[in-house]
């Protein structure tokens, strides 16, 4: 394949804001980007930088031609980039996942305009307000308009000529009071248009202006003793004020702002948009973006802002965002609020985007459980500062009873799920008395010495149930085996769920609702359960063996052999001498039979039985 000489291409690229396009060997557009300095930005792709991710390196390897478009400002580049991505949809650009056609409210371009909703935009001079991501919100607004403003719903051609010729007659809508009958000149076009102007203000969130004008007209009607008109105006003002009180979320002094927030995952990001006019949210929508080149949250948010402002024809001069945006333009002010009403709006947007994200991820995970596994493992890797996914996790826990019957248990999780066939427990051999640290040291050493001998593969994460002491003991064994740098090891203390790392003086605390912490707790609890079960079996076996040792001629070793063969004291009690001799000699068998069945033994001795 012919090698691309990017140096020659860079010579022709200026230090100006603009949009650049990358083309492959088939002359196909594969990527579009924006820059405030085209040459510096394009050149950065070809630097031999280890920080460039693998996906970007693949993109760079395919570039065979670079073209560019110069614009006046960085914001112009931002808007042009968005338009070009939507048009060409290059392979390596972020994909906007939005397969819905949202409805708009249309004010029809005609005499005595009708108002209704539509999903089709026709360039005929009509006004389109929206789109409305919430259909229920749109219908609520249309219901308010219908109740407050009598408008025509017919499709008659209400030209002045047709009306003057008397071509039309009023319909049932007029009789019901839903229309004032402009078709028969019962309502002037001036009066009708005044209502349309007020409706436009309502749709743009300027309800306060409309209410103030209505109250002024109301006072005039009362002064003129026109009480019927005054009643209608009062009713209209009350309806609008009631709607305003329900829809206003912050102080009405916030007149015209756009609000954006983002929540991202490894492969997807979600961006919420709120359009706020006079303290009222008049438009809201959340979209999903599919990452292509491991884009940062800032890059993704910039793409979404351009998309939303184009889609909603927004000209707001202030944009509220969760972090600084690297765009400079005197026409737009980016605000990162810390307190007050604007912070309330940002918090509301973030609640919306988090809810949308959770809902979408839940849908994906139901369809494909492997997506959930990958997400959880990726989150664990980030939270625990690991450099690889913890697909194989092992957790150790110790159990003993007043220093007796010590057991160390190990549970194994693979791909986030218990692998019970791999559970093991160790009967402690080298430790005398209640020494939890030494027990942990022995168990870890025996476990991974065998793992290395059998070459069965080390886990990516080892969890030690305990604090600094237990963690240090485990680490000592890993050092002896020379594998302490090949795995991540953490200790979890029960009291406050602190996580300890080797060499760290202070513990790390995860959010109590963190999925990473929940998985660690599940591992710890499972290790504890399994360890207690193994410990009880050993303790019970030890207690039974002690009882058998009370029989003359039966020592500890023989008692354990009997229990191993017969499985329980009950079966030993029920066994006859012949069966007992499968394990012990005749003399011991007679002693066991005599111990458990003394009456039978006495009868044999007295001659009552043959």
């Amino acid at each position: 394949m012919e090698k691309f000489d990017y140096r020659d291409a860079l010579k022709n690229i200026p230090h100006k804001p603009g949009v650049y396009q990358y083309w492959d060997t088939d002359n196909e557009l594969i990527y579009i980007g924006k820059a405030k300095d085209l040459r510096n930005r394009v050149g950065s792709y070809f630097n031999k930088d280890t920080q460039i991710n693998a996906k970007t390196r693949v993109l760079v390897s395919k570039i065979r031609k670079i073209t560019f478009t110069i614009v006046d400002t960085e914001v112009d580049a931002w808007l042009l980039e968005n338009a070009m991505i939507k048009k060409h949809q290059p392979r390596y650009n972020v994909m906007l996942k939005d397969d819905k056609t949202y409805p708009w409210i249309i004010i029809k371009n005609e005499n005595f305009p009708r108002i209704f909703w539509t999903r089709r935009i026709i360039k005929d001079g009509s006004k389109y307000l929206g789109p409305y991501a919430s259909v229920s919100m749109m219908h609520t607004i249309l219901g308010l308009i219908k109740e407050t403003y009598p408008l025509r719903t017919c499709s008659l051609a209400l030209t002045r000529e047709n009306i003057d010729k008397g071509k039309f007659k009023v319909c049932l809508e007029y009789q019901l009071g839903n229309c004032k009958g402009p078709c028969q000149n019962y309502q002037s076009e001036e009066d009708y248009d005044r209502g349309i102007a007020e409706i436009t203000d309502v749709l743009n969130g300027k309800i306060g202006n409309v209410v103030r004008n209505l109250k002024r007209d109301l006072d005039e009607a009362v002064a003129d003793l026109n009480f019927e008109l005054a009643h209608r105006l009062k009713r209209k003002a009350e309806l609008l004020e009631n709607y305003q009180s329900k829809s206003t979320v912050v102080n009405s002094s916030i007149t015209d702002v756009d609000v954006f927030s983002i929540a991202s995952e490894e492969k997807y990001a979600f961006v919420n948009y709120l359009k706020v006019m006079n303290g009222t949210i008049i438009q809201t929508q959340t979209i999903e973006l599919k990452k292509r080149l491991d884009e940062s949250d800032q890059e993704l948010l910039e793409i979404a802002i351009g998309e939303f402002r184009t889609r909603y024809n927004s000209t707001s001069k202030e944009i509220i965002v969760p972090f600084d945006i690297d765009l400079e333009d005197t026409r737009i002010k980016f605000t990162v609020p810390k307190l007050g009403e604007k912070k309330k709006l940002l918090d509301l947007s973030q609640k919306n985007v988090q809810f949308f994200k959770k809902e979408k991820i839940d849908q994906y995970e139901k369809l494909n459980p492997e997506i959930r596994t990958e997400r959880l493992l990726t989150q664990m890797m980030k939270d625990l500062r690991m450099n690889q996914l913890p697909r194989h996790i092992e957790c150790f826990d110790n159990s003993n009873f007043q220093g007796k019957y010590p057991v160390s248990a190990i549970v194994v999780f693979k791909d986030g799920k218990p692998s019970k066939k791999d559970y093991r427990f160790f009967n402690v051999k080298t430790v005398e008395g209640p020494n939890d640290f030494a027990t942990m040291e022995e168990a870890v050493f025996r476990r991974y010495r065998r793992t290395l001998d059998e070459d069965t593969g080390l886990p990516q994460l080892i969890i030690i149930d305990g604090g600094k002491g237990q963690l240090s003991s485990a680490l000592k064994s890993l050092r002896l085996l020379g594998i302490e740098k090949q795995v991540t090891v953490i200790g979890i203390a029960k009291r406050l769920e602190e996580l300890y790392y080797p060499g760290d003086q202070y513990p790390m605390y995860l959010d109590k609702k963190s999925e990473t912490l929940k998985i660690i707790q599940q591992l710890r609890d499972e290790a504890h359960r399994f360890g207690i079960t193994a410990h009880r079996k050993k303790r019970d076996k030890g207690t039974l063996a002690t009882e058998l040792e009370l029989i003359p001629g039966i020592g500890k070793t023989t008692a354990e052999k009997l229990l191993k063969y017969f499985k329980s004291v009950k079966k030993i009690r029920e066994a006859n001498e012949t069966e007992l001799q499968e394990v012990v000699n005749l003399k011991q068998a007679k002693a066991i039979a005599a111990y458990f069945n003394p009456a039978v033994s006495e009868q044999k001795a007295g001659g009552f039985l043959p």
Side-chain angles (χ1 to χ4, degrees), residues 394 396 444-452 459 462 481:
E394 297 188 352
F396 288 82
V444 171
F445 184 83
R446 288 170 58 188
R447 170 66 174 177
Y448 297 114
R449 182 183 62 185
R450 184 167 184 174
T451 298
L452 292 172
I462 298 172
L481 295 166

Side-chain angles (χ1 to χ4, degrees), residues 28-66:
E28 182 181 342
L29 184 57
I30 57 174
Y31 188 75
I32 296 171
K34 66 168 182 1
K36 58 183 174 183
D37 186 312
L38 281 167
R39 182 181 293 186
N40 289 349
R41 181 71 184 107
V42 171
S44 69
Y45 282 88
F46 299 92
N47 290 338
K48 293 180 179 178
D49 189 347
T50 55
Q51 298 299 316
I52 294 177
N53 63 64
K55 291 180 180 177
T56 303
R57 284 197 292 270
V58 171
L59 164 66
V60 172
S61 70
K62 294 180 180 294
I63 298 172
R64 292 296 173 270
K65 185 175 74 172
I66 301 173

